[in-house]
Amino acid sequence: MSSEPSTEPNLPPVAPEVLAEAVEQLTARLRKKLDAATRDCAAGAHPGEDGAVTVRFSEDALVTLRPGPGGAVTAAEQATCTCLLAPRCLHRAAVLGAAPLADPADLVAPHPEADPAPDAGQRPDAGAGSGAGAGAGAGPGDGAEAGGGAGEPSGGADGPAPEVLTAAQRRAAAALWRAAAEALAAGVTAGGAVVQAELLRAAHSARLAGLPRAEAAALRVVRGLRAARERSGGQGLTDLTGAFRELLRTAALLASGAAGPELTGTGRRAYRPGGSLRVYGLCREPVISATGYGGVVTHLLSADGARHSVCDVRPGGPARARGAGSASVALGGAALDHAGLARGGLRIFGATVSPDGRLGSGRGVRATPLRGVPWTEEPAAALFARPAAEAVAARLAERDTEPEGAEPALLGCEVVVVGAAGEDLLVREVRPQAPLLRLRAAHPHPELPHTANLRRIAAHPGLLLRVLGRPDLDRAATLRPLAVGPVPGAEYTLRLPEEWLGRADLGYDVLQGGHFPPGTAAAPSAAAGPDLLADSPLWRVRRLLESGVAGGRRAVAEAARTADPRTVYGPLRRAGFTMAAELATALAAEADRRPRDVFGRLTDPSPEAYARSWLAASMHLAAAERSLVAASWAWGEGGTP
């Protein structure tokens, strides 16, 4: 999830369209001063007893934000200034620009089956969607996709059937494409409040046209630009690069009309009747969002192996995430807390289920507790029966066609502990020719025990474990573990209390010395094959794309002038990445293409051709890296996948 600058919580969230309108009302002279005026607004904010927040600029300029019942500023009249130029003043626009952006889910009227919070049930550590696919949008009106330079339509013959978009939707998507292209050409360096406001205006138009996924992609980019300009550690260039890729791809496909249902998205999670269900707990996962929410997601399996979840996410941050792990489950009057549900089960009557498996808590839902099922019994046992490499390959193949916000599927595997690698844990899957895997804390927040638990496990080389977690599809052979348990029949394995039902939730349970077997075991070999992702020359393309995000089109053009493409991209060609080299060379050339007339004026000032070239290179890189990640899970000691 995107990370907001640390000073923003002093101000209430602001609806994107309110900020966009305030910036639009400024004169050109005031717009040039906006970034400097915004910089220190949050630090000078003072909350009042009536819920209003004030920021004083001078004796005659006091800005007041009065959030509505939902806690956000959703209307222009809720932001006022006492200066003579108000509401078209720099002070008001600066304060609105310093406030965090309200999530669209916060601005939707409550619904009996709606989410309790904007981040509930979504991947808690997710950043901007990468949108890594076989085809990238070539831009509105081009009628073709730049899928790694192949020019093949996105999705292929087996993909979702394109939806028939209205003319208004296509116009809104085209406007969003143009705004995204301008923001990409500007980069972080020049992507200040004015550029962000243009994106927000286009995002609002997309929402009004019924394109919530496009709006969400634009908001991720704006939040990423803000965080990068504030040098916030929570948002890196890699995340922002992925956010730009997803936004450009989504806008291009929508504007061209070649959009499947997974790209249009839905504004509210739609629940459908699920009848009678029996679900069994797998584990609990803490949720800490960048927008100040905290809570828990309890993962469940039904008797037929379908995945479900129960979520409790509300304002409160890390403190609430810790407490929610033992809070009562608000589902059909069941007398269970989340700790009990994670190791127990429920029989649900009148269930309502969202497309991503979320269980609703409507009035007609009734639930009674069931005995829990250990990981050694069905349906949980099936999670550990499939080799991890197969599960990851299937997950990567589904990545582009899944609905927005769908959680990456959990996978289970049996591993033997190798040792520590910094804060990570190295393990090897218990199967022939297995690769070395890296277990990285799912939530490294210091107030959660993930990192400490992995550190304790790393002190026992040779320990056999069952691990349930979520594969990190952006890194080679990396798993984000959520829970661990003993291996049945193994002598040197975990010894957990009987009431834990054979598993420990790494985000809530704290492993102690008594949970480990006495003595030592033979340490397994730590020899690993090459890191297929880090050791490939694709880093040259990644650095070019990220330099464009950081410094804009000008930075890519400067790189083209100071480096010989044959020297820079020669290693790519020699390694067989010929298309990656061609696309990177084309991007550098397009960035430096600035034709001018005899008077020195630009004859083609539009950045859209540059954005198409950047998107083609970015999509090809994402597809290539996805293939390398899949191979890294299957690469064994024998040196062959």
Side-chain angles (χ1 to χ4, degrees), residues 79-157:
T80 60
C81 181
T82 57
C83 78
L84 296 177
L85 292 178
R88 296 179 173 85
C89 65
L90 178 65
H91 316 112
R92 178 174 174 271
V95 174
L96 290 172
L101 293 176
D103 193 289
D106 291 332
L107 310 178
V108 177
H111 184 273
E113 299 293 2
D115 298 338
D119 300 300
Q122 297 183 9
R123 181 178 179 179
D125 63 338
S130 66
D142 284 13
E145 319 309 324
E152 298 179 357
S154 175

Side-chain angles (χ1 to χ4, degrees), residues 11-14 50-53 64-75 78-79:
L11 294 167
V14 171
D50 59 351
V53 179
T64 303
L65 301 184
R66 299 185 183 278
V73 175
T74 58
Q78 292 174 343

Side-chain angles (χ1 to χ4, degrees), residues 307-488:
R307 301 169 192 269
H308 297 281
S309 63
V310 173
C311 309
D312 180 7
V313 182
R314 302 182 188 280
R320 191 175 192 285
R322 293 196 311 273
S326 55
S328 297
V329 175
L331 181 65
L336 269 181
D337 57 21
H338 281 272
L341 179 58
R343 295 182 172 95
L346 286 175
R347 183 172 184 180
I348 307 174
F349 302 92
T352 56
V353 187
S354 73
D356 62 358
R358 175 85 66 84
L359 296 176
S361 56
R363 295 178 182 175
V365 178
R366 296 291 180 271
T368 57
L370 293 175
R371 180 188 69 86
V373 173
W375 285 356
T376 54
E377 298 179 14
E378 296 295 346
L383 295 174
F384 299 89
R386 189 181 190 184
E390 291 183 12
V392 171
R395 176 71 185 88
L396 286 165
E398 299 168 355
R399 195 174 192 185
D400 283 344
T401 58
E402 66 186 6
E404 182 196 10
E407 291 183 350
L410 302 183
L411 67 84
C413 55
E414 291 188 359
V415 300
V416 57
V417 173
V418 174
E423 294 295 323
D424 298 339
L425 172 64
L426 296 181
V427 299
R428 193 180 297 279
E429 193 175 358
V430 182
R431 63 177 176 83
Q433 300 285 314
L436 201 66
L437 305 182
R438 184 180 294 268
L439 303 190
R440 178 163 292 181
H443 304 287
H445 196 283
E447 295 190 38
L448 298 175
H450 282 279
T451 301
N453 280 330
L454 292 183
R455 191 180 299 121
R456 292 187 183 98
I457 295 173
H460 297 269
L463 187 73
L464 289 170
L465 291 173
R466 276 193 163 187
V467 178
L468 183 67
R470 183 179 291 112
D472 189 332
L473 302 181
D474 296 320
R475 293 179 172 84
T478 300
L479 183 69
R480 303 275 186 170
L482 300 180
V484 295
V487 172

